[in-house]
Amino acid sequence: MSLIEVDSVSKAFRIPSVRRDTVREHFFGMLQPRKFQRLQVLDTVSLTLRRGEALGIMGRNGSGKSTLLKIVSGVYAPDQGRVNVLAPITPILELGVGWNPELDAIDNVLLIGSVMGLSLREIRRDMDEILAFAELERFANLKLKHYSSGMSERLGYAVAFKAVREVLVLDEIFAVGDAGFKARCEQRYWELRRLGHSAIIVSHNTRIIAEFCDRALLLDSGRVVMDAPAKEVADRYVSSLTEGVA
Amino acid sequence: MMNASAGTDLDSRPVRAIADESSRVHRPALGHAGLIWTLVRTDFKARYHGTFGGFLWALLKPLSMFIVLMGVFSFLFASDPTYKLDLIVGLFLWDFFAEGTKTGLTSLHARGYLLTKARVPCWILVVTSISNAAITLAVFCVVIVVFLTGAGRPPSVASLVAFAAYCVALAAIVVGFALASSGLFLRYRDLNQVWDVVAQAGFFFAPVIYPLGILPERYHIYLYLWPPTPIIEFSRAALVTGVVPSTTANIYLLADAAICLLTGILIFRRLSPRAAEYV
């Protein structure tokens, strides 16, 4: 059974020749019309994630991986095509979740957990485990603005791994924390897989894609150029880097 | 199939079609009760340092403003026996309008850290951003009633009901403005400065510190075009004078609030699907 179906999704951004972000800039620039360049980030991309499957996505910088994840997660809207998501998602995009620096860890976990669709009761029930997983029990009442970047990233991954819903969507998995934390994340990932969770993982790391995914896509210039078993895609990605063409 | 240690049950939410943009606006609010409560609570906590003393401290600004204005202008309008009562009603309603529109305008940008990391209904981020201003208004409503009672003019039940309706209408106007401006602010990052100037002028355009009667009647229609003016005047009539405005006047007021809210919703529906791309 498919949990996520992406059907011929396209996405483009209009890049202006001169960036204008204020009323003042628009007003004084009225007589100097701008030119817009169309940047096609995704071009009729299709994918399917089946229940219990882990799908890897590889590609060079600018190939559209992060945009695809944001569309799947519902952050961006596609210009064309259709995305059907039949299961709740826990997305960890751009190396973490969003934090309010003026709130402590507990309130931030409640906030991001409820944004991800968990009930407050579920989050409170899992709070101790989340803080323990991130090894931040002693700093639970400390405002996030006093956290180091590593601490806040660990907390984000702890939310993803302990308060997970059915599908994990992970951008650059296991790129956070020391060796011990990475090992715990990997161990937890396999636990989740055994319990039947599905995952979409974006990474440049061929070991992670080959080891942690069943199947993978290779993106190049916004198009899917390969959809095959993860090991084959990882090998093709490495060879494309050396050849210069994906 | 479920993770026992995490203990999260797979919910049975309906199929989501991301391409269907209307679903971003029309999901039932009750389904997001936990998110709404958390946003309101954490907003309060972050703003007032999580203490009731911090909240009381924040009330001092409009209260001190009232004392200063009353001290200065009650001499100027000494012939008006209800001036102080009119001032407190007008000033606290204006404070809600000014504070609510100011925080609403920057709400999507301020909560961009949520917008770009997960699928979240944008309208909740905007509407909950005015919760602090609404809580302050609720406290000031009690202050107004106490002040009126102390002045020997306790409001009747009908007056209080009418005043509550006017507060709801004002909230609708503020929400409409916040919805429209929050999306625009992501594209025009100095819109808050523009609004500061407009709000400053609007404070004097609305009859907050002066009685509307000092202006020639032919100009009143223009002042009534500024949304806070009818709210303030109608509230004064109901609470201070004890006369609830006519049904026709109330229908006009409701239409005014509905137009502001609907305009805000329409603009928001157009801008919000791409909001995350501009954060």
Side-chain angles (χ1 to χ4, degrees), chain A residues 20-30 34, chain B residues 187-188:
Chain A
R20 291 176 188 153
D21 292 328
T22 62
V23 175
R24 184 173 58 84
E25 286 169 350
H26 279 275
F27 181 78
F28 289 110
M30 269 192 310
R34 294 181 292 174
Chain B
R187 291 160 168 83
Y188 306 101

Side-chain angles (χ1 to χ4, degrees), chain B residues 82 85-86 89 148 153-156 159 233-245:
Chain B
T82 61
L85 301 175
D86 285 341
V89 172
L148 286 165
R153 291 172 180 266
S156 66
S159 298
E233 282 301 291
F234 285 23
S235 298
R236 283 170 174 167
L239 290 174
V240 181
T241 317
V243 179
V244 177

Side-chain angles (χ1 to χ4, degrees), chain A residues 65-182:
Chain A
K65 305 183 298 295
S66 295
T67 303
L68 180 58
L69 279 199
K70 285 186 173 180
I71 288 176
V72 167
S73 304
V75 174
Y76 284 176
D79 294 340
Q80 289 175 341
R82 192 164 179 84
V83 180
N84 281 336
V85 177
L86 296 107
I89 290 178
T90 299
I92 302 293
L93 306 171
E94 294 167 349
L95 285 177
V97 294
W99 302 122
N100 183 338
E102 294 301 322
L103 296 173
D104 60 28
I106 291 174
D107 280 330
N108 267 300
V109 171
L110 285 166
L111 193 56
I112 201 68
S114 49
V115 164
M116 288 176 178
L118 295 166
S119 73
L120 293 180
R121 196 172 53 181
E122 286 171 331
I123 306 165
R124 288 201 182 97
R125 189 181 57 200
D126 296 338
M127 186 65 78
D128 289 344
E129 283 188 39
I130 292 169
L131 293 169
F133 192 85
E135 296 176 323
L136 292 170
E137 301 101 313
R138 288 188 299 134
F139 306 104
N141 296 311
L142 188 67
K143 287 183 180 178
L144 263 285
K145 66 182 176 185
H146 301 303
Y147 273 35
S148 69
S149 57
M151 289 163 79
S152 54
E153 285 167 356
R154 283 208 315 268
L155 188 61
Y157 273 73
V159 173
F161 281 121
K162 298 305 283 187
V164 67
R165 308 191 82 205
E166 184 158 358
V167 180
L168 263 175
V169 173
L170 297 159
D171 198 351
E172 289 302 345
I173 188 178
F174 314 137
V176 166
D178 54 23
F181 185 74
K182 282 177 186 166

